[in-house]
């Protein structure tokens, strides 16, 4: 069955008319607005869109992007959509604010809310699947429920930039393109090393879903350690990024206690240019995650735990298609920046600032498991093949990509590079 998805509303800089299927369980990822010291301006850009889908019917919405919101380095985005079947979603984020005398700190916040009258969820309870656990690596594509879903998510983030490498001049300076990034592999000299401390909360209420074991909310603390040694956040040509995150929900009378960790490593290899391409890059990414409290009953809700499927990992599958104790995922992309870039001369497109466009082909393999065993995680892996185009519009990367898997295909329109 051919299905397409619009998750996140910065779909294109003109009215979008797409046959899409909007799947719940995914707030848009925070936009990366790369700062350029020479050209940074105070911009407010509006992007309208319209689409039709199986789950949301006819939908209209808009996105607003603002730079220099209160502070030169700060940015904001707001997205809202409403459909003819009374579904809606909204997202807002305020990024990279600084408090007086805290030169090495940056503060951000984001919030998402959605109401889906025909939401689809890979949780237990589907008729005819009483002997199968939904969302496992071996589970059926049809083992899912469709119901009214209400979703909420927030994250308040504080990030401390260590005064080493390219972070030596403070947190604001680290947002600009770094001179030493990717020229070496010593964190003391190259790249930006940061420590994040976040408060994260999420809930998912499924109406008419009677399952006494279903948890519909989480409230957790996150600690993140990151070393970003890329030469650019939006169109990386060399270097890499290492990211490690631990999430802990300390539990309550309504919530389990649980702990999850995630590790991600990317690597970018430049291939140079030719008569057709200004730039060619091979981009690699590895992801590994586990829930060490799993066997003692510390199991997180499926929407907050370890999961694959969606616009970041295993993109040929719908959002949160797979979830379990642990997961592994490998991705490889071939990214091309063509010499030919006509968008600035096209009607409607020329109303927006298109810095570049990029053509991409990609492949992924991965799986989830209810044990943490590298041998198991490398058996019977799921796969995805895909291609797409990405555009840097008003400082934000918009990506549109088609992905194929063994059971389905997806069309995603989203903001940011996947890694």
């Amino acid at each position: 069955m051919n299905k397409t998805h619009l998750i996140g509303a910065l779909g294109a800089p003109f009215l979008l008319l797409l046959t899409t299927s909007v799947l719940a369980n995914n707030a848009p990822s925070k936009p990366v607005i790369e700062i350029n010291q020479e050209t940074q301006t105070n911009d407010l850009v509006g992007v309208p869109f319209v689409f039709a889908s199986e789950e949301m019917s006819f939908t209209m919405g808009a996105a607003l992007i603002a730079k220099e919101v209160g502070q030169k380095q700060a940015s904001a985005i707001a997205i809202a959509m409403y459909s003819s079947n009374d579904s809606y979603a909204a997202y807002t984020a305020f990024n990279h604010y600084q408090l007086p005398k805290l030169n090495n700190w940056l503060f951000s916040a984001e919030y998402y809310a959605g109401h889906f009258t025909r939401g689809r969820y890979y949780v237990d309870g589907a008729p005819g699947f009483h002997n199968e656990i939904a969302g496992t690596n071996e589970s059926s594509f049809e083992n899912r429920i469709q119901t009214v879903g209400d979703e909420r998510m927030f994250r308040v983030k504080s990030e401390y930039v260590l005064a080493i490498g390219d972070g030596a001049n403070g947190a604001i300076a680290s947002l600009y393109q770094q001179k030493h990034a990717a020229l070496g592999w010593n964190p003391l000299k190259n790249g930006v090393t940061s420590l994040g401390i976040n408060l994260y909360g999420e809930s998912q209420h499924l109406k008419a879903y009677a399952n006494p074991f279903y948890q519909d909310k989480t409230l957790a603390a996150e600690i993140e350690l990151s070393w970003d040694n890329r030469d650019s956040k939006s169109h990386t040509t060399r270097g890499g990024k290492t990211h490690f995150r631990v999430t802990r929900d300390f539990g309550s009378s309504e919530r389990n206690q649980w702990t999850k960790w995630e590790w991600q490593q990317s690597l970018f290899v430049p291939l140079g240019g030719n008569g057709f391409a200004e730039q060619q890059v091979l981009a690699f990414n590895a992801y590994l995650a586990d829930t060490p409290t799993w066997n003692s009953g510390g199991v997180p809700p499926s929407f907050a735990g370890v999961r694959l499927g969606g616009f970041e990992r295993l993109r040929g599958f719908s959002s949160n298609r797979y979830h379990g104790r642990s997961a592994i995922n490998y991705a490889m992309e071939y990214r091309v920046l063509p010499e030919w870039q006509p968008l600035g001369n096209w009607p409607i497109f020329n109303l927006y600032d298109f810095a570049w466009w990029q053509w991409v082909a990609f492949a992924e393999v991965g799986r989830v498991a209810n044990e943490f065993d590298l041998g198991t995680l490398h058996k019977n892996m799921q796969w995805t093949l895909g291609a797409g185009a990405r555009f840097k519009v008003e400082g934000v990367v918009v990506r549109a990509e088609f992905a194929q898997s063994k059971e389905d295909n997806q069309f995603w329109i989203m903001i940011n590079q996947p890694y």
Side-chain angles (χ1 to χ4, degrees):
M1 180 172 61
N2 182 23
K3 302 196 308 175
T4 56
H5 294 248
L6 181 77
I7 304 293
L10 191 63
F14 54 93
L15 285 175
L16 287 173
L17 183 57
L18 297 172
T19 303
T20 66
S21 169
V22 176
L23 192 63
N25 314 328
N26 270 289
S29 56
K30 185 175 70 176
V32 174
I33 299 178
E34 194 164 48
I35 298 175
N36 184 303
Q37 265 176 315
E38 288 73 33
T39 62
Q40 175 75 347
T41 60
N42 190 359
D43 288 334
L44 177 64
V45 180
V47 182
F49 60 89
V50 58
F51 63 92
S53 74
E54 289 179 40
E55 290 157 70
M56 289 191 74
S57 300
F58 179 77
T59 304
M60 297 184 68
L64 290 175
I65 305 167
K67 292 180 265 188
E68 297 189 16
V69 183
Q71 297 181 0
K72 183 176 178 61
Q73 79 288 347
S75 63
I77 186 169
I79 301 169
M81 65 180 80
Y82 191 85
S83 81
S84 59
N85 70 10
D86 294 325
S87 296
Y88 63 80
Y91 173 82
T92 187
F94 296 88
N95 307 312
H96 300 146
Y97 282 84
Q98 196 162 61
L99 298 178
K101 299 183 180 180
L102 298 179
N103 294 335
N104 287 83
W105 287 90
L106 293 169
F107 299 91
S108 304
E110 58 183 335
Y111 178 77
Y112 160 76
H115 174 79
F116 301 92
T117 58
R118 293 203 296 264
R120 293 179 178 176
Y121 302 88
Y122 284 88
V123 294
D124 292 332
F129 292 96
H130 303 296
N131 296 321
E132 181 184 280
I133 300 174
T136 63
N137 190 65
E138 294 77 23
S139 63
S140 169
F141 173 63
E142 300 298 333
N143 188 358
R144 62 193 183 192
I145 66 168
Q146 182 167 330
T147 186
V148 176
D150 286 296
E151 305 174 1
R152 302 289 185 272
M153 186 280 294
F154 77 88
R155 179 175 280 108
V156 178
K157 182 173 182 177
S158 59
E159 181 181 9
Y160 179 78
V161 177
L162 276 65
I164 57 175
D166 287 313
N169 295 320
I172 292 179
S174 73
L175 297 173
Y176 293 83
Q177 210 161 17
Q178 301 303 318
K179 295 180 179 180
H180 303 102
L183 297 180
W185 298 95
N186 183 351
L188 297 176
K189 298 180 179 180
N190 308 97
V192 175
T193 303
S194 62
L195 175 67
I197 303 172
N198 312 328
L199 178 63
Y200 154 73
E202 190 168 0
S203 66
Q204 184 185 87
H205 177 69
L206 308 184
K207 188 176 181 180
Y209 178 58
N211 187 328
F213 302 104
Y214 177 73
Q215 296 182 72
D216 64 358
K217 65 181 65 175
T218 190
L219 180 62
E222 297 176 332
I223 296 178
E224 298 179 294
L225 181 62
S226 176
W227 177 46
D228 191 344
N229 193 34
R230 297 173 294 174
D231 63 338
S232 169
K233 292 180 174 63
S234 62
H235 54 98
T236 313
T237 64
R238 63 180 189 274
K241 183 178 181 180
T242 304
H243 184 260
F244 182 74
R245 177 165 63 192
V246 177
T247 305
R248 171 68 176 176
D249 188 328
F250 291 92
S252 71
S253 59
E254 299 178 328
R255 308 190 320 271
N256 276 350
Q257 296 185 38
W258 56 268
T259 301
K260 174 183 72 172
W261 63 259
E262 300 167 278
W263 168 82
Q264 185 166 264
Q265 177 66 57
S266 62
L267 178 65
F268 300 86
V269 180
L271 300 180
N274 53 38
F276 165 76
E278 176 184 332
Q279 179 190 102
Q280 301 175 94
V281 177
L282 281 180
F284 301 92
N285 189 73
Y287 171 81
L288 183 66
D290 183 42
T291 312
T293 56
W294 186 277
N295 290 341
S296 59
V299 178
S302 60
F303 56 83
V306 174
R307 56 200 186 275
L308 296 176
F311 52 76
E312 288 188 332
R313 303 180 188 97
L314 282 187
R315 285 164 275 177
F317 297 89
S318 54
S319 301
N320 294 1
R321 168 64 180 90
Y322 297 105
H323 48 84
R325 169 179 169 163
S326 61
I328 199 165
N329 194 72
Y330 299 107
M332 181 179 70
E333 295 190 343
Y334 172 59
R335 302 178 181 178
V336 176
L337 208 68
E339 292 276 4
W340 178 61
Q341 209 283 66
L343 300 180
N345 300 320
W346 291 358
I348 301 180
F349 283 84
N350 58 16
L351 300 177
Y352 297 85
D353 177 22
F354 277 85
W356 46 258
W357 67 342
Q358 186 181 67
W359 300 350
V360 180
F362 60 88
E364 296 178 276
V365 292
R367 67 160 291 175
V368 300
N370 285 338
E371 60 178 328
F372 184 65
D373 181 86
L374 291 178
T376 300
L377 288 170
H378 285 87
K379 294 177 181 177
N380 303 318
M381 301 175 80
Q382 309 297 335
W383 57 268
T384 285
L385 295 174
R390 296 168 190 171
F391 313 84
K392 190 170 185 180
V393 187
E394 299 293 343
V396 176
V397 174
V398 179
R399 57 183 168 104
E401 54 199 25
F402 177 86
Q404 177 73 50
S405 67
K406 68 176 184 181
E407 68 179 24
D408 203 3
N409 55 64
Q410 310 288 335
F411 180 70
W412 299 102
I413 296 180
M414 193 52 194
I415 52 178
N416 294 349
Q417 298 279 13
Y419 55 87

PDB file of all heavy atoms in Angstrom, residues 51-66:
ATOM      1  N   PHE A  51      -2.654  19.932   2.128  1.00  0.00           N
ATOM      2  CA  PHE A  51      -2.485  18.566   1.645  1.00  0.00           C
ATOM      3  C   PHE A  51      -3.717  17.746   2.002  1.00  0.00           C
ATOM      4  O   PHE A  51      -4.569  18.163   2.792  1.00  0.00           O
ATOM      5  CB  PHE A  51      -1.218  17.905   2.221  1.00  0.00           C
ATOM      6  CG  PHE A  51      -1.225  17.743   3.716  1.00  0.00           C
ATOM      7  CD1 PHE A  51      -1.704  16.581   4.300  1.00  0.00           C
ATOM      8  CD2 PHE A  51      -0.722  18.748   4.533  1.00  0.00           C
ATOM      9  CE1 PHE A  51      -1.703  16.430   5.671  1.00  0.00           C
ATOM     10  CE2 PHE A  51      -0.704  18.604   5.905  1.00  0.00           C
ATOM     11  CZ  PHE A  51      -1.203  17.440   6.482  1.00  0.00           C
ATOM     12  N   ALA A  52      -3.815  16.559   1.391  1.00  0.00           N
ATOM     13  CA  ALA A  52      -4.888  15.615   1.702  1.00  0.00           C
ATOM     14  C   ALA A  52      -4.260  14.303   2.143  1.00  0.00           C
ATOM     15  O   ALA A  52      -3.174  13.949   1.687  1.00  0.00           O
ATOM     16  CB  ALA A  52      -5.774  15.393   0.480  1.00  0.00           C
ATOM     17  N   SER A  53      -4.947  13.562   3.033  1.00  0.00           N
ATOM     18  CA  SER A  53      -4.372  12.322   3.545  1.00  0.00           C
ATOM     19  C   SER A  53      -5.455  11.368   4.003  1.00  0.00           C
ATOM     20  O   SER A  53      -6.607  11.758   4.218  1.00  0.00           O
ATOM     21  CB  SER A  53      -3.425  12.610   4.722  1.00  0.00           C
ATOM     22  OG  SER A  53      -4.170  12.944   5.870  1.00  0.00           O
ATOM     23  N   GLU A  54      -5.075  10.091   4.174  1.00  0.00           N
ATOM     24  CA  GLU A  54      -5.989   9.080   4.686  1.00  0.00           C
ATOM     25  C   GLU A  54      -6.445   9.425   6.098  1.00  0.00           C
ATOM     26  O   GLU A  54      -7.612   9.280   6.437  1.00  0.00           O
ATOM     27  CB  GLU A  54      -5.304   7.712   4.711  1.00  0.00           C
ATOM     28  CG  GLU A  54      -5.049   7.083   3.357  1.00  0.00           C
ATOM     29  CD  GLU A  54      -4.361   5.747   3.507  1.00  0.00           C
ATOM     30  OE1 GLU A  54      -4.724   4.995   4.433  1.00  0.00           O
ATOM     31  OE2 GLU A  54      -3.449   5.458   2.721  1.00  0.00           O
ATOM     32  N   GLU A  55      -5.534   9.838   6.928  1.00  0.00           N
ATOM     33  CA  GLU A  55      -5.811   9.990   8.349  1.00  0.00           C
ATOM     34  C   GLU A  55      -6.258  11.383   8.748  1.00  0.00           C
ATOM     35  O   GLU A  55      -6.943  11.554   9.749  1.00  0.00           O
ATOM     36  CB  GLU A  55      -4.569   9.586   9.157  1.00  0.00           C
ATOM     37  CG  GLU A  55      -4.319   8.091   9.093  1.00  0.00           C
ATOM     38  CD  GLU A  55      -2.867   7.749   9.385  1.00  0.00           C
ATOM     39  OE1 GLU A  55      -2.463   7.902  10.536  1.00  0.00           O
ATOM     40  OE2 GLU A  55      -2.160   7.346   8.455  1.00  0.00           O
ATOM     41  N   MET A  56      -5.882  12.407   7.986  1.00  0.00           N
ATOM     42  CA  MET A  56      -6.279  13.767   8.334  1.00  0.00           C
ATOM     43  C   MET A  56      -7.198  14.407   7.312  1.00  0.00           C
ATOM     44  O   MET A  56      -7.659  15.525   7.508  1.00  0.00           O
ATOM     45  CB  MET A  56      -5.037  14.643   8.522  1.00  0.00           C
ATOM     46  CG  MET A  56      -4.262  14.321   9.778  1.00  0.00           C
ATOM     47  SD  MET A  56      -2.987  15.537  10.155  1.00  0.00           S
ATOM     48  CE  MET A  56      -3.959  16.918  10.765  1.00  0.00           C
ATOM     49  N   SER A  57      -7.494  13.718   6.207  1.00  0.00           N
ATOM     50  CA  SER A  57      -8.322  14.283   5.140  1.00  0.00           C
ATOM     51  C   SER A  57      -7.701  15.573   4.629  1.00  0.00           C
ATOM     52  O   SER A  57      -6.485  15.717   4.621  1.00  0.00           O
ATOM     53  CB  SER A  57      -9.753  14.499   5.657  1.00  0.00           C
ATOM     54  OG  SER A  57     -10.311  13.276   6.072  1.00  0.00           O
ATOM     55  N   PHE A  58      -8.532  16.548   4.212  1.00  0.00           N
ATOM     56  CA  PHE A  58      -7.999  17.799   3.686  1.00  0.00           C
ATOM     57  C   PHE A  58      -7.480  18.663   4.837  1.00  0.00           C
ATOM     58  O   PHE A  58      -8.179  18.914   5.822  1.00  0.00           O
ATOM     59  CB  PHE A  58      -9.090  18.553   2.922  1.00  0.00           C
ATOM     60  CG  PHE A  58      -8.628  19.866   2.365  1.00  0.00           C
ATOM     61  CD1 PHE A  58      -7.853  19.911   1.222  1.00  0.00           C
ATOM     62  CD2 PHE A  58      -8.947  21.055   3.007  1.00  0.00           C
ATOM     63  CE1 PHE A  58      -7.420  21.124   0.702  1.00  0.00           C
ATOM     64  CE2 PHE A  58      -8.526  22.269   2.498  1.00  0.00           C
ATOM     65  CZ  PHE A  58      -7.753  22.307   1.342  1.00  0.00           C
ATOM     66  N   THR A  59      -6.233  19.123   4.701  1.00  0.00           N
ATOM     67  CA  THR A  59      -5.574  19.838   5.794  1.00  0.00           C
ATOM     68  C   THR A  59      -4.919  21.104   5.274  1.00  0.00           C
ATOM     69  O   THR A  59      -4.315  21.108   4.204  1.00  0.00           O
ATOM     70  CB  THR A  59      -4.503  18.947   6.456  1.00  0.00           C
ATOM     71  OG1 THR A  59      -5.114  17.731   6.902  1.00  0.00           O
ATOM     72  CG2 THR A  59      -3.857  19.645   7.638  1.00  0.00           C
ATOM     73  N   MET A  60      -5.047  22.160   6.051  1.00  0.00           N
ATOM     74  CA  MET A  60      -4.371  23.414   5.759  1.00  0.00           C
ATOM     75  C   MET A  60      -3.558  23.830   6.983  1.00  0.00           C
ATOM     76  O   MET A  60      -3.897  23.481   8.111  1.00  0.00           O
ATOM     77  CB  MET A  60      -5.372  24.515   5.412  1.00  0.00           C
ATOM     78  CG  MET A  60      -6.177  24.251   4.162  1.00  0.00           C
ATOM     79  SD  MET A  60      -7.268  25.641   3.740  1.00  0.00           S
ATOM     80  CE  MET A  60      -6.033  26.883   3.302  1.00  0.00           C
ATOM     81  N   GLY A  61      -2.485  24.570   6.726  1.00  0.00           N
ATOM     82  CA  GLY A  61      -1.665  25.027   7.832  1.00  0.00           C
ATOM     83  C   GLY A  61      -0.643  26.041   7.387  1.00  0.00           C
ATOM     84  O   GLY A  61      -0.616  26.481   6.236  1.00  0.00           O
ATOM     85  N   ALA A  62       0.220  26.404   8.320  1.00  0.00           N
ATOM     86  CA  ALA A  62       1.257  27.381   8.026  1.00  0.00           C
ATOM     87  C   ALA A  62       2.404  27.201   9.005  1.00  0.00           C
ATOM     88  O   ALA A  62       2.231  26.670  10.109  1.00  0.00           O
ATOM     89  CB  ALA A  62       0.715  28.804   8.120  1.00  0.00           C
ATOM     90  N   ALA A  63       3.586  27.657   8.583  1.00  0.00           N
ATOM     91  CA  ALA A  63       4.771  27.663   9.438  1.00  0.00           C
ATOM     92  C   ALA A  63       5.370  29.061   9.424  1.00  0.00           C
ATOM     93  O   ALA A  63       5.376  29.733   8.383  1.00  0.00           O
ATOM     94  CB  ALA A  63       5.795  26.649   8.948  1.00  0.00           C
ATOM     95  N   LEU A  64       5.862  29.500  10.561  1.00  0.00           N
ATOM     96  CA  LEU A  64       6.557  30.773  10.689  1.00  0.00           C
ATOM     97  C   LEU A  64       7.954  30.516  11.222  1.00  0.00           C
ATOM     98  O   LEU A  64       8.127  29.768  12.188  1.00  0.00           O
ATOM     99  CB  LEU A  64       5.819  31.716  11.649  1.00  0.00           C
ATOM    100  CG  LEU A  64       4.481  32.285  11.187  1.00  0.00           C
ATOM    101  CD1 LEU A  64       3.854  33.093  12.312  1.00  0.00           C
ATOM    102  CD2 LEU A  64       4.659  33.157   9.949  1.00  0.00           C
ATOM    103  N   ILE A  65       8.954  31.101  10.580  1.00  0.00           N
ATOM    104  CA  ILE A  65      10.341  31.005  11.028  1.00  0.00           C
ATOM    105  C   ILE A  65      10.841  32.408  11.309  1.00  0.00           C
ATOM    106  O   ILE A  65      10.663  33.312  10.485  1.00  0.00           O
ATOM    107  CB  ILE A  65      11.232  30.364   9.953  1.00  0.00           C
ATOM    108  CG1 ILE A  65      10.685  29.005   9.538  1.00  0.00           C
ATOM    109  CG2 ILE A  65      12.668  30.230  10.446  1.00  0.00           C
ATOM    110  CD1 ILE A  65      11.337  28.475   8.294  1.00  0.00           C
ATOM    111  N   ALA A  66      11.448  32.597  12.457  1.00  0.00           N
ATOM    112  CA  ALA A  66      11.963  33.919  12.829  1.00  0.00           C
ATOM    113  C   ALA A  66      13.397  33.786  13.312  1.00  0.00           C
ATOM    114  O   ALA A  66      13.727  32.878  14.075  1.00  0.00           O
ATOM    115  CB  ALA A  66      11.101  34.551  13.920  1.00  0.00           C
TER     116      ALA A  66
END
